[in-house]
Tab-separated table of all heavy atoms in Angstrom:
chain	number	residue	atom	x	y	z
A	14	LEU	N	-9.158	-8.259	-15.816
A	14	LEU	CA	-9.149	-6.871	-16.423
A	14	LEU	C	-8.209	-5.956	-15.626
A	14	LEU	O	-8.489	-5.853	-14.386
A	14	LEU	CB	-10.581	-6.278	-16.611
A	14	LEU	CG	-11.509	-7.093	-17.532
A	14	LEU	CD1	-12.954	-6.521	-17.466
A	14	LEU	CD2	-11.013	-7.144	-18.915
A	15	PRO	N	-7.332	-5.331	-16.260
A	15	PRO	CA	-6.437	-4.378	-15.460
A	15	PRO	C	-7.104	-3.067	-15.026
A	15	PRO	O	-7.938	-2.495	-15.787
A	15	PRO	CB	-5.252	-4.047	-16.421
A	15	PRO	CG	-5.831	-4.226	-17.812
A	15	PRO	CD	-6.902	-5.333	-17.584
A	16	GLN	N	-6.892	-2.596	-13.825
A	16	GLN	CA	-7.426	-1.316	-13.366
A	16	GLN	C	-6.220	-0.623	-12.649
A	16	GLN	O	-5.351	-1.116	-12.040
A	16	GLN	CB	-8.395	-1.510	-12.265
A	16	GLN	CG	-9.791	-2.199	-12.748
A	16	GLN	CD	-10.875	-2.288	-11.727
A	16	GLN	OE1	-10.614	-2.075	-10.505
A	16	GLN	NE2	-12.045	-2.676	-12.132
A	17	VAL	N	-6.213	0.698	-12.981
A	17	VAL	CA	-5.150	1.556	-12.511
A	17	VAL	C	-5.641	2.556	-11.523
A	17	VAL	O	-6.659	3.329	-11.735
A	17	VAL	CB	-4.532	2.321	-13.799
A	17	VAL	CG1	-3.387	3.338	-13.231
A	17	VAL	CG2	-3.870	1.218	-14.740
A	18	TYR	N	-5.039	2.796	-10.394
A	18	TYR	CA	-5.409	3.656	-9.294
A	18	TYR	C	-4.141	4.575	-8.941
A	18	TYR	O	-3.018	4.137	-9.026
A	18	TYR	CB	-5.800	2.918	-8.098
A	18	TYR	CG	-7.154	2.136	-8.349
A	18	TYR	CD1	-6.989	0.866	-8.835
A	18	TYR	CD2	-8.254	2.752	-8.145
A	18	TYR	CE1	-8.195	0.137	-9.063
A	18	TYR	CE2	-9.573	2.062	-8.336
A	18	TYR	CZ	-9.451	0.731	-8.773
A	18	TYR	OH	-10.618	0.085	-9.085
A	19	GLN	N	-4.633	5.808	-8.478
A	19	GLN	CA	-3.536	6.616	-7.850
A	19	GLN	C	-3.758	6.606	-6.381
A	19	GLN	O	-4.878	6.786	-5.909
A	19	GLN	CB	-3.439	8.083	-8.455
A	19	GLN	CG	-4.744	8.857	-8.053
A	19	GLN	CD	-4.419	10.355	-8.316
A	19	GLN	OE1	-3.358	10.947	-8.048
A	19	GLN	NE2	-5.457	11.050	-8.762
A	20	VAL	N	-2.595	6.424	-5.551
A	20	VAL	CA	-2.641	6.417	-4.143
A	20	VAL	C	-1.458	7.266	-3.546
A	20	VAL	O	-0.411	6.673	-3.286
A	20	VAL	CB	-2.606	5.037	-3.612
A	20	VAL	CG1	-2.805	5.037	-1.993
A	20	VAL	CG2	-3.717	4.086	-4.110
A	21	PRO	N	-1.629	8.598	-3.610
A	21	PRO	CA	-0.560	9.403	-2.962
A	21	PRO	C	-0.382	8.956	-1.457
A	21	PRO	O	-1.433	8.820	-0.750
A	21	PRO	CB	-1.059	10.884	-3.079
A	21	PRO	CG	-2.061	10.763	-4.093
A	21	PRO	CD	-2.691	9.459	-4.074
A	22	VAL	N	0.913	8.757	-1.085
A	22	VAL	CA	0.930	8.209	0.333
A	22	VAL	C	1.839	9.319	1.144
A	22	VAL	O	2.786	10.036	0.540
A	22	VAL	CB	1.662	6.920	0.394
A	22	VAL	CG1	0.761	5.935	-0.288
A	22	VAL	CG2	3.012	6.831	-0.338
A	23	LEU	N	1.663	9.306	2.416
A	23	LEU	CA	2.428	10.014	3.433
A	23	LEU	C	3.217	8.933	4.290
A	23	LEU	O	2.498	7.964	4.878
A	23	LEU	CB	1.648	10.904	4.207
A	23	LEU	CG	2.347	11.496	5.421
A	23	LEU	CD1	2.980	12.809	5.016
A	23	LEU	CD2	1.266	11.898	6.649
A	24	PHE	N	4.424	9.155	4.488
A	24	PHE	CA	5.199	8.228	5.459
A	24	PHE	C	5.428	9.084	6.663
A	24	PHE	O	5.698	10.207	6.722
A	24	PHE	CB	6.626	7.901	4.737
A	24	PHE	CG	6.418	7.275	3.431
A	24	PHE	CD1	7.396	7.602	2.335
A	24	PHE	CD2	5.694	6.212	3.230
A	24	PHE	CE1	7.411	6.941	1.322
A	24	PHE	CE2	5.595	5.538	2.015
A	24	PHE	CZ	6.436	5.835	1.108
A	25	ALA	N	5.246	8.362	7.712
A	25	ALA	CA	5.412	9.014	9.201
A	25	ALA	C	5.894	7.894	10.034
A	25	ALA	O	5.638	6.737	9.994
A	25	ALA	CB	4.013	9.564	9.533
A	26	ASP	N	6.476	8.516	11.227
A	26	ASP	CA	6.859	7.758	12.308
A	26	ASP	C	5.815	7.482	13.367
A	26	ASP	O	6.123	6.764	14.439
A	26	ASP	CB	8.218	8.138	12.873
A	26	ASP	CG	8.087	9.522	13.306
A	26	ASP	OD1	6.995	10.175	13.430
A	26	ASP	OD2	9.226	10.108	13.769
A	27	ARG	N	4.748	8.068	13.058
A	27	ARG	CA	3.623	7.871	14.075
A	27	ARG	C	2.277	7.658	13.330
A	27	ARG	O	2.234	7.943	12.102
A	27	ARG	CB	3.450	9.135	15.062
A	27	ARG	CG	3.018	10.397	14.388
A	27	ARG	CD	3.102	11.572	15.334
A	27	ARG	NE	2.637	12.867	14.851
A	27	ARG	CZ	1.378	13.230	14.810
A	27	ARG	NH1	0.516	12.540	15.400
A	27	ARG	NH2	0.992	14.363	14.171
A	28	ARG	N	1.439	7.091	14.088
A	28	ARG	CA	0.065	6.683	13.398
A	28	ARG	C	-0.898	7.784	13.484
A	28	ARG	O	-1.171	8.432	14.436
A	28	ARG	CB	-0.379	5.485	14.182
A	28	ARG	CG	-1.650	4.784	13.752
A	28	ARG	CD	-1.887	3.486	14.578
A	28	ARG	NE	-3.138	2.910	14.212
A	28	ARG	CZ	-4.375	3.077	14.592
A	28	ARG	NH1	-4.568	4.174	15.408
A	28	ARG	NH2	-5.365	2.422	14.085
A	29	HIS	N	-1.417	8.014	12.199
A	29	HIS	CA	-2.714	8.906	12.095
A	29	HIS	C	-3.861	8.072	11.851
A	29	HIS	O	-4.191	7.455	10.709
A	29	HIS	CB	-2.497	9.846	10.922
A	29	HIS	CG	-1.273	10.780	11.122
A	29	HIS	ND1	-1.219	11.892	11.896
A	29	HIS	CD2	-0.017	10.705	10.645
A	29	HIS	CE1	-0.081	12.452	11.919
A	29	HIS	NE2	0.727	11.688	11.033
A	30	ALA	N	-4.690	7.897	12.801
A	30	ALA	CA	-5.827	6.924	12.750
A	30	ALA	C	-6.738	7.074	11.539
A	30	ALA	O	-7.307	6.137	11.002
A	30	ALA	CB	-6.543	6.776	14.043
A	31	ASP	N	-7.047	8.346	11.203
A	31	ASP	CA	-8.012	8.773	10.370
A	31	ASP	C	-7.467	8.604	8.781
A	31	ASP	O	-8.297	8.604	7.890
A	31	ASP	CB	-8.582	10.181	10.481
A	31	ASP	CG	-7.313	11.133	10.405
A	31	ASP	OD1	-6.279	10.782	10.347
A	31	ASP	OD2	-7.729	12.378	10.232
A	32	SER	N	-6.248	8.173	8.699
A	32	SER	CA	-5.683	8.181	7.236
A	32	SER	C	-4.734	6.877	7.074
A	32	SER	O	-4.069	6.745	6.136
A	32	SER	CB	-4.985	9.374	6.846
A	32	SER	OG	-3.832	9.624	7.688
A	33	LEU	N	-4.686	6.006	8.056
A	33	LEU	CA	-3.737	4.924	8.056
A	33	LEU	C	-4.008	3.864	7.043
A	33	LEU	O	-5.203	3.525	6.781
A	33	LEU	CB	-3.770	4.226	9.573
A	33	LEU	CG	-2.762	3.144	9.560
A	33	LEU	CD1	-1.322	3.559	9.584
A	33	LEU	CD2	-3.067	2.290	10.920
A	34	ILE	N	-2.984	3.491	6.381
A	34	ILE	CA	-3.153	2.566	5.375
A	34	ILE	C	-2.446	1.273	5.934
A	34	ILE	O	-3.030	0.143	5.899
A	34	ILE	CB	-2.258	2.779	4.047
A	34	ILE	CG1	-3.156	3.918	3.271
A	34	ILE	CG2	-2.172	1.612	3.140
A	34	ILE	CD1	-2.400	4.498	2.029
A	35	GLY	N	-1.293	1.321	6.582
A	35	GLY	CA	-0.693	0.172	7.173
A	35	GLY	C	0.719	0.489	7.674
A	35	GLY	O	1.205	1.629	7.612
A	36	ARG	N	1.176	-0.456	8.428
A	36	ARG	CA	2.549	-0.276	9.135
A	36	ARG	C	3.599	-1.199	8.381
A	36	ARG	O	3.272	-2.320	7.970
A	36	ARG	CB	2.393	-0.693	10.519
A	36	ARG	CG	3.761	-0.545	11.315
A	36	ARG	CD	3.607	-0.744	12.735
A	36	ARG	NE	4.734	-0.322	13.533
A	36	ARG	CZ	4.777	-0.284	14.842
A	36	ARG	NH1	3.687	-0.408	15.678
A	36	ARG	NH2	6.006	-0.007	15.483
A	37	VAL	N	4.841	-0.558	8.187
A	37	VAL	CA	5.775	-1.226	7.655
A	37	VAL	C	7.110	-0.992	8.592
A	37	VAL	O	7.559	0.078	8.598
A	37	VAL	CB	6.187	-0.724	6.270
A	37	VAL	CG1	7.271	-1.562	5.560
A	37	VAL	CG2	4.870	-0.808	5.235
A	38	GLY	N	7.479	-2.095	9.034
A	38	GLY	CA	8.712	-1.935	10.051
A	38	GLY	C	8.257	-0.960	11.161
A	38	GLY	O	7.212	-1.212	11.774
A	39	HIS	N	9.174	-0.037	11.364
A	39	HIS	CA	8.784	0.946	12.516
A	39	HIS	C	8.119	2.214	12.066
A	39	HIS	O	7.818	3.158	12.818
A	39	HIS	CB	10.083	1.241	13.179
A	39	HIS	CG	10.892	0.150	13.831
A	39	HIS	ND1	10.431	-0.437	14.950
A	39	HIS	CD2	12.077	-0.365	13.383
A	39	HIS	CE1	11.221	-1.371	15.165
A	39	HIS	NE2	12.228	-1.413	14.363
A	40	GLY	N	7.757	2.203	10.766
A	40	GLY	CA	6.992	3.432	10.247
A	40	GLY	C	5.672	3.112	9.768
A	40	GLY	O	5.120	1.938	9.722
A	41	PHE	N	4.800	4.228	9.402
A	41	PHE	CA	3.511	3.979	8.993
A	41	PHE	C	3.245	4.597	7.656
A	41	PHE	O	3.913	5.771	7.328
A	41	PHE	CB	2.544	4.740	10.064
A	41	PHE	CG	2.626	4.066	11.471
A	41	PHE	CD1	3.540	4.538	12.396
A	41	PHE	CD2	1.792	2.971	11.648
A	41	PHE	CE1	3.675	4.001	13.587
A	41	PHE	CE2	1.795	2.440	13.015
A	41	PHE	CZ	2.779	2.850	13.898
A	42	VAL	N	2.448	4.084	6.890
A	42	VAL	CA	1.983	4.521	5.622
A	42	VAL	C	0.526	5.137	5.674
A	42	VAL	O	-0.290	4.335	6.134
A	42	VAL	CB	2.098	3.432	4.447
A	42	VAL	CG1	1.706	3.862	3.177
A	42	VAL	CG2	3.612	2.907	4.349
A	43	HIS	N	0.357	6.174	5.227
A	43	HIS	CA	-0.957	6.885	5.301
A	43	HIS	C	-1.428	7.299	3.962
A	43	HIS	O	-0.645	7.528	2.931
A	43	HIS	CB	-0.938	8.119	6.167
A	43	HIS	CG	-0.550	7.818	7.626
A	43	HIS	ND1	0.751	7.695	8.137
A	43	HIS	CD2	-1.343	7.559	8.696
A	43	HIS	CE1	0.787	7.349	9.379
A	43	HIS	NE2	-0.447	7.440	9.677
A	44	ASP	N	-2.796	7.566	3.849
A	44	ASP	CA	-3.403	8.132	2.540
A	44	ASP	C	-2.878	9.480	2.504
A	44	ASP	O	-3.344	10.424	3.309
A	44	ASP	CB	-4.799	8.021	2.731
A	44	ASP	CG	-5.592	8.618	1.436
A	44	ASP	OD1	-4.890	8.913	0.473
A	44	ASP	OD2	-6.778	8.672	1.436
A	45	GLY	N	-2.193	9.986	1.430
A	45	GLY	CA	-1.557	11.295	1.412
A	45	GLY	C	-2.652	12.296	1.151
A	45	GLY	O	-2.397	13.516	1.503
A	46	LEU	N	-3.826	11.949	0.564
A	46	LEU	CA	-4.754	12.917	0.198
A	46	LEU	C	-5.602	13.468	1.511
A	46	LEU	O	-6.239	14.428	1.450
A	46	LEU	CB	-5.779	12.392	-0.774
A	46	LEU	CG	-5.148	12.076	-2.121
A	46	LEU	CD1	-6.241	11.643	-3.110
A	46	LEU	CD2	-4.298	13.185	-2.655
A	47	ALA	N	-5.312	12.896	2.648
A	47	ALA	CA	-5.771	13.476	3.879
A	47	ALA	C	-4.814	14.460	4.514
A	47	ALA	O	-5.164	15.059	5.631
A	47	ALA	CB	-5.964	12.264	4.901
A	48	HIS	N	-3.648	14.727	3.861
A	48	HIS	CA	-2.641	15.624	4.508
A	48	HIS	C	-2.248	16.733	3.522
A	48	HIS	O	-1.777	16.467	2.365
A	48	HIS	CB	-1.508	14.689	4.818
A	48	HIS	CG	-1.718	13.626	5.865
A	48	HIS	ND1	-1.616	13.858	7.316
A	48	HIS	CD2	-2.209	12.321	5.750
A	48	HIS	CE1	-1.870	12.685	7.877
A	48	HIS	NE2	-2.318	11.806	7.003
A	49	ALA	N	-2.304	17.970	4.114
A	49	ALA	CA	-2.198	19.206	3.330
A	49	ALA	C	-0.709	19.101	2.617
A	49	ALA	O	-0.567	19.630	1.520
A	49	ALA	CB	-2.239	20.363	4.166
A	50	GLU	N	0.393	18.721	3.317
A	50	GLU	CA	1.643	18.723	2.699
A	50	GLU	C	1.817	17.899	1.350
A	50	GLU	O	2.401	18.258	0.459
A	50	GLU	CB	2.758	18.431	3.687
A	50	GLU	CG	2.701	16.907	4.246
A	50	GLU	CD	1.891	16.816	5.564
A	50	GLU	OE1	0.925	17.577	5.702
A	50	GLU	OE2	2.396	16.105	6.432
A	51	VAL	N	1.031	16.842	1.411
A	51	VAL	CA	1.220	15.980	0.223
A	51	VAL	C	0.298	16.568	-0.931
A	51	VAL	O	0.788	16.603	-2.078
A	51	VAL	CB	0.691	14.513	0.517
A	51	VAL	CG1	0.517	13.730	-0.802
A	51	VAL	CG2	1.564	13.835	1.435
A	52	VAL	N	-0.802	17.099	-0.596
A	52	VAL	CA	-1.664	17.682	-1.627
A	52	VAL	C	-1.115	18.845	-2.158
A	52	VAL	O	-1.037	19.203	-3.438
A	52	VAL	CB	-3.028	18.108	-1.002
A	52	VAL	CG1	-3.976	18.749	-2.093
A	52	VAL	CG2	-3.767	16.754	-0.669
A	53	GLN	N	-0.429	19.758	-1.292
A	53	GLN	CA	0.110	20.960	-1.786
A	53	GLN	C	1.343	20.619	-2.747
A	53	GLN	O	1.764	21.280	-3.658
A	53	GLN	CB	0.681	21.727	-0.625
A	53	GLN	CG	-0.417	22.570	0.075
A	53	GLN	CD	0.099	23.114	1.428
A	53	GLN	OE1	1.095	22.824	1.999
A	53	GLN	NE2	-0.638	24.206	1.838
A	54	ALA	N	2.124	19.458	-2.469
A	54	ALA	CA	3.278	19.062	-3.317
A	54	ALA	C	2.695	18.679	-4.554
A	54	ALA	O	3.370	18.825	-5.627
A	54	ALA	CB	3.969	17.862	-2.491
A	55	LEU	N	1.573	17.977	-4.773
A	55	LEU	CA	1.065	17.583	-5.899
A	55	LEU	C	0.661	18.793	-6.780
A	55	LEU	O	0.871	18.753	-8.029
A	55	LEU	CB	-0.200	16.660	-5.695
A	55	LEU	CG	-0.008	15.176	-5.224
A	55	LEU	CD1	-1.193	14.559	-4.749
A	55	LEU	CD2	0.729	14.442	-6.454
A	56	LEU	N	-0.038	19.795	-6.087
A	56	LEU	CA	-0.273	20.990	-6.905
A	56	LEU	C	0.930	21.784	-7.328
A	56	LEU	O	0.809	22.661	-8.235
A	56	LEU	CB	-1.275	21.886	-6.056
A	56	LEU	CG	-2.622	21.271	-5.613
A	56	LEU	CD1	-3.483	22.175	-4.932
A	56	LEU	CD2	-3.225	20.676	-6.855
A	57	ALA	N	2.146	21.569	-6.657
A	57	ALA	CA	3.295	22.312	-7.084
A	57	ALA	C	4.081	21.478	-8.071
A	57	ALA	O	5.293	21.710	-8.194
A	57	ALA	CB	4.130	22.658	-5.803
A	58	ALA	N	3.520	20.415	-8.597
A	58	ALA	CA	4.380	19.407	-9.371
A	58	ALA	C	4.911	19.984	-10.595
A	58	ALA	O	4.471	20.977	-11.138
A	58	ALA	CB	3.458	18.172	-9.647
A	59	GLY	N	5.887	19.305	-11.007
A	59	GLY	CA	6.470	19.648	-12.327
A	59	GLY	C	7.988	19.440	-12.383
A	59	GLY	O	8.533	19.328	-13.575
A	60	GLU	N	8.596	19.400	-11.366
A	60	GLU	CA	10.126	19.164	-11.461
A	60	GLU	C	10.615	17.906	-10.651
A	60	GLU	O	11.870	17.799	-10.414
A	60	GLU	CB	10.742	20.501	-10.839
A	60	GLU	CG	10.514	21.655	-11.680
A	60	GLU	CD	11.138	22.888	-11.192
A	60	GLU	OE1	11.877	22.772	-10.154
A	60	GLU	OE2	11.013	23.951	-11.830
């Protein structure tokens, strides 16, 4: 059965332990909903 999820992500060159999803190459992928800049961008969506 298919399930659909939203996962806003933050890309960073340093590790945030409280929101880390994983490392890719020399960068880190984080849960974006733990970070204000990602949430604010979602609320300003449209363009």
Side-chain angles (χ1 to χ4, degrees):
L14 298 175
Q16 296 184 352
V17 177
Y18 293 90
Q19 68 162 322
V20 185
V22 295
L23 173 80
F24 300 136
D26 56 7
R27 65 187 182 93
R28 181 178 183 271
H29 301 279
D31 58 346
S32 63
L33 181 67
I34 292 177
R36 182 170 186 168
V37 181
H39 297 292
F41 297 92
V42 180
H43 299 86
D44 181 6
L46 296 187
H48 297 270
E50 60 266 42
V51 173
V52 177
Q53 287 174 337
L55 284 165
L56 297 186
E60 297 181 358

